[in-house]
Amino acid sequence: MWAVEHAAELGADPERVAVMGESAGGNLAAVVALLARDRGGPRLRHQTLLYPATDLTEALREHDSFTANDHGVVVSLEDLEVFLGHYLPEPGPTAVDASDWRLSPLLAPDLAALPPALVVVAGLDPLHDSGVRYAEALAAAGVPARVEDFHRMPHGFLGFPHLARSARPAMDAVVAAQRAALR
């Protein structure tokens, strides 16, 4: 990773590296953790996934949270379909396989030996179950994984600290987890 190779220029410690991402960025952070493990580095000490999209297959549409939050406060199912369309073009010459673990990290053949994870989920989010299932799969593979579930919050609530009363406790959990992992 470029940031690790240039850590000295950035005033950073190349031995204290973590990834974090929100929503589609949570998907990317999970994939980066898998790639770092599979390519022999850099060593990541933690991953923080905020309401991540971890399964982009049709199975996503069967999750209880997906069907229950069809008129999501911040992200509706209609919005989510638009976002998924950016990842998964229509069938044809540019079609991609949604079951590829680089799109759906939940489906990676091996989740062992990944860095510890904090997965923050929101109860009023169509992606809630996707995040929980990824954390459960990590734990089943022997990876320390903790879920912070904010039942009454919508997707993206951390971006609204003055409107979402759970944004501060969620950020406190993120900071505490990263601080512990990076010390």
Side-chain angles (χ1 to χ4, degrees), residues 117-129:
L118 171 65
V119 181
V120 175
V121 294
L124 302 178
D125 179 6
L127 296 177
H128 174 276
D129 295 353

Side-chain angles (χ1 to χ4, degrees), residues 8 34 44 50-51 76 86 109 111 114 142 149 154 170:
L34 285 157
L44 300 177
L50 309 173
Y51 17 88
S76 68
H86 293 299
L111 294 173
L114 289 169
D149 196 338

Side-chain angles (χ1 to χ4, degrees), residues 1-10 12 14 17 32 41-42:
M1 286 170 52
W2 183 92
V4 173
E5 292 170 4
H6 295 87
E9 296 168 45
L10 299 169
V17 179
V32 165

Side-chain angles (χ1 to χ4, degrees), residues 19-109:
V19 292
M20 181 168 78
E22 178 180 35
S23 191
N27 173 289
L28 293 172
V31 170
V32 165
L34 285 157
L35 289 171
R37 179 204 60 195
D38 293 348
R39 294 180 178 173
R43 179 180 170 264
L44 300 177
R45 291 175 57 178
H46 194 261
Q47 56 182 318
T48 301
L49 311 175
L50 309 173
Y51 17 88
T54 63
D55 181 358
L56 302 183
T57 67
E58 286 298 314
L60 173 66
R61 291 168 177 81
E62 297 170 11
H63 293 178
D64 290 341
S65 65
F66 191 89
T67 57
N69 292 297
D70 58 341
H71 299 299
V73 177
V74 175
V75 175
S76 68
L77 293 188
E78 185 177 316
D79 297 329
L80 199 52
E81 292 296 341
V82 170
F83 300 143
L84 289 170
H86 293 299
Y87 268 82
L88 306 166
E90 293 294 321
T94 61
V96 294
D97 181 3
S99 66
D100 184 318
W101 64 265
R102 293 167 296 180
L103 288 172
S104 297
L106 178 64
L107 304 179

Side-chain angles (χ1 to χ4, degrees), residues 51 74 153-168:
Y51 17 88
V74 175
M153 290 292 109
H155 184 89
F157 75 95
L158 276 161
F160 306 102
H162 299 294
L163 299 174
R165 69 174 178 256
S166 294
R168 183 171 299 270

